[in-house]
Amino acid sequence: MQLSPGPLVDFLGRPMNVEDSFDVAIRSAVLDEGCGRVTAALDPALFLPEPEAGAVWATVISVDDHVVEPAHLFEGRLPATLADRAPRIVETTAGHQVWEFEGARYSQVGMNAVAGRRPETVRLEPFRFDQMRPGCFDVDARVADMDLNGVWASLNFPSQISGFCGRVFFGAEDPALGAACIRAWNDWLFEEWASVHPDRIIPLGIAFLSDPDEAVAEIRRNAARGFKAVALPERPHAVDLPSLWDRDHWDPILAACAETSTVACLHVGSSGMPPIPPGAPAVQIGATLFGQMSLNACAEWLWSGHPLRLPDLAIAMSEGGIGWVAMLLDRLDNIVDRSGYGLGWDIRPAEVLERNFWFCTLDDPSTIDTRYRIGVGNIMVETDYPHGDSTWPDTQAVLKSCWGHLPIDEVRAICSGNAAALFRHSLPDRVLPES
């Protein structure tokens, strides 16, 4: 089936400048080879030699990894009246595989699935499924890669076709189609990932955030079958949702999270990147500012008042690191005790932050020693598989190198205990390091 050319965009709807011809042909709804199933050995020209498992220093629960949605995800999961408009993989004349939905195309850009790739082979252009490690899209292969890396359990965010918080779907031109795609994504994650390896996968869902009633219903539906988290945008107003200060919109959604113990996870970049000056290196600047983006979002969520009003609302900042958190706490105390700008609540803002927010880190070697100011119990680990920032397959060596001086009980808490408690996930019988 030939399609007329359409714009190639990222998951925030922004045009991407990729030199390619976009006369495309949709592949069959039945998966073809290299379209999201394990079919062949990895190309040695693209991939480094298969790594060997190293010694496990600490039991790790990673609270920020990603799935790459396989091409069959939406097959059979949408109502018959919407099935022919479901997202689907299309192939360009250059051989790239991209998603097509409502006339736009969304690519799995290079940095999105680079685990195991030779660095010199990675560029910011669309990938094919056979250019990714199977662990990106196949749960059995993912668990094998987790074993290789010494990771006990993993929480996974979506990737390009939905956006990190479902933005493509809750921003769909046809709300009924968007809501159906969100339910289909959650059903796939539940059926093909969480249910297959329930001790290894912590299920995170998405919700149709454009409609509070739809969002609440999906959060509750997922919680009833064991989902522990939902991905929400860092800055909702930046993705055409009502701002956090629109109480009619957000109060029921966040109340549902609190009532079901569903953790609200805010991933860096889920609402876009900061403005980049003309001519500036966007990738380098954007990646440098991850911590600033988390700081900005965290401050807005704190001062929205939702965490103050909902003591049981748990908010996890994802992929922003921890280097900025102690500074934020100091600043919050400053604007209460010195300037008075932060007065007005019955509880200190810093205490609300310590009560309602959690943070995750890849390593933060220079600022892990601010952990007492942050709260040891508020820090968790991420590996960010299969992204360019990921510590896979060397997570154990990285953590031991950066945190080997920490007391054992703190290592156990940060590497796995805090996440197990927050996401209500079981730990193995033996938790490392042992005292």
Side-chain angles (χ1 to χ4, degrees):
M1 175 180 179
Q2 293 293 320
L3 296 179
S4 59
L8 181 67
V9 297
D10 64 13
F11 62 81
L12 289 165
R14 300 169 302 193
M16 294 183 62
N17 296 318
V18 178
E19 295 181 1
D20 197 1
S21 170
F22 285 104
D23 293 322
V24 299
I26 290 184
R27 288 199 167 200
S28 167
V30 178
L31 284 181
D32 292 334
E33 181 177 347
C35 217
R37 295 199 193 280
V38 181
T39 57
L42 299 177
D43 183 350
L46 297 178
F47 288 89
L48 296 165
E50 188 68 9
E52 296 182 0
V56 176
W57 175 63
T59 301
V60 169
I61 293 179
S62 174
V63 299
D64 174 26
D65 295 320
H66 293 262
V67 297
V68 173
E69 293 85 354
H72 71 279
L73 188 153
F74 299 97
E75 181 184 351
R77 291 191 169 93
L78 267 67
T81 55
L82 299 174
D84 63 344
R85 297 163 59 202
R88 64 194 64 207
I89 288 293
V90 300
E91 185 165 324
T92 74
T93 55
H96 297 150
Q97 291 172 331
V98 298
W99 284 96
E100 195 275 339
F101 179 64
E102 289 195 325
R105 298 190 180 91
Y106 302 83
S107 83
Q108 306 284 6
V109 294
M111 296 300 178
N112 188 57
V114 301
R117 285 284 298 256
R118 295 184 181 276
E120 66 273 16
T121 70
V122 176
R123 294 182 295 173
L124 286 177
E125 66 178 19
F127 268 16
R128 295 178 56 85
F129 283 96
D130 56 12
Q131 295 172 334
M132 307 175 194
R133 281 187 72 85
C136 295
F137 50 79
D138 177 88
V139 72
D140 293 328
R142 170 64 63 88
V143 169
D145 279 352
M146 290 163 59
D147 289 342
L148 190 153
N149 198 30
V151 171
W152 164 246
S154 171
L155 179 144
N156 290 272
F157 286 86
S159 287
Q160 301 303 95
I161 181 50
S162 75
F164 293 161
C165 64
R167 184 256 183 241
V168 171
F169 298 141
F170 65 66
E173 295 177 5
D174 182 343
L177 177 60
C181 288
I182 279 178
R183 289 190 292 270
W185 194 98
N186 290 330
D187 290 344
W188 167 79
L189 192 283
F190 176 72
E191 295 163 3
E192 295 197 15
W193 279 63
S195 295
V196 177
H197 293 281
D199 55 339
R200 309 299 297 278
I201 301 297
I202 302 172
L204 169 143
I206 53 179
F208 192 75
L209 298 173
S210 298
D211 184 322
D213 292 335
E214 284 276 359
V216 167
E218 191 66 2
I219 289 168
R220 293 190 181 279
R221 181 175 83 102
N222 282 340
R225 54 182 174 170
F227 279 61
K228 305 300 175 57
V230 63
L232 301 181
E234 290 180 296
R235 311 181 74 208
H237 63 280
V239 289
D240 301 322
L241 290 173
S243 90
L244 289 169
W245 284 264
D246 186 324
R247 304 299 184 189
D248 290 340
H249 189 92
W250 288 104
D251 278 3
I253 295 173
L254 298 177
C257 290
E259 291 165 8
T260 60
S261 298
T262 298
V263 180
C265 293
L266 314 181
H267 195 286
V268 158
S270 57
S271 298
M273 302 301 286
I276 304 297
V283 173
Q284 291 87 338
I285 292 177
T288 301
L289 295 178
F290 278 10
Q292 177 180 313
M293 294 162 65
S294 271
L295 167 61
N296 194 2
C298 187
E300 290 179 0
W301 276 80
L302 173 68
W303 286 110
S304 73
H306 294 295
L308 174 68
R309 181 178 58 86
L310 297 169
D312 295 327
L313 176 64
I315 300 172
M317 309 302 298
S318 301
E319 205 172 341
I322 63 169
W324 51 273
V325 182
M327 180 272 288
L328 175 58
L329 287 162
D330 288 348
R331 183 61 180 164
L332 291 172
D333 283 342
N334 177 293
I335 64 174
V336 169
D337 298 330
R338 187 176 303 163
S339 68
Y341 299 152
L343 295 173
W345 289 357
D346 293 335
I347 181 174
R348 295 174 71 88
E351 293 178 24
V352 178
L353 192 81
E354 293 165 341
R355 182 188 69 189
N356 289 74
F357 288 79
W358 281 257
F359 314 94
C360 73
T361 172
L362 289 160
D363 51 6
D364 281 288
S366 298
T367 53
I368 191 63
D369 289 334
T370 64
R371 64 192 181 280
Y372 297 134
R373 180 66 175 109
I374 298 168
V376 171
N378 296 75
I379 303 171
M380 303 178 292
V381 168
E382 63 165 306
T383 74
D384 199 29
Y385 181 105
H387 285 188
D389 262 349
S390 180
T391 55
W392 186 93
D394 302 315
T395 298
Q396 291 291 331
V398 169
L399 294 180
K400 185 176 182 180
S401 172
C402 295
W403 300 353
H405 63 292
L406 273 59
I408 286 176
D409 63 326
E410 296 179 13
V411 172
R412 288 163 62 97
I414 294 172
C415 288
S416 61
N418 296 338
L422 178 63
F423 293 102
R424 296 171 287 125
H425 192 78
S426 62
L427 287 166
D429 293 337
R430 184 186 180 200
V431 177
L432 298 176
E434 294 177 318
S435 58

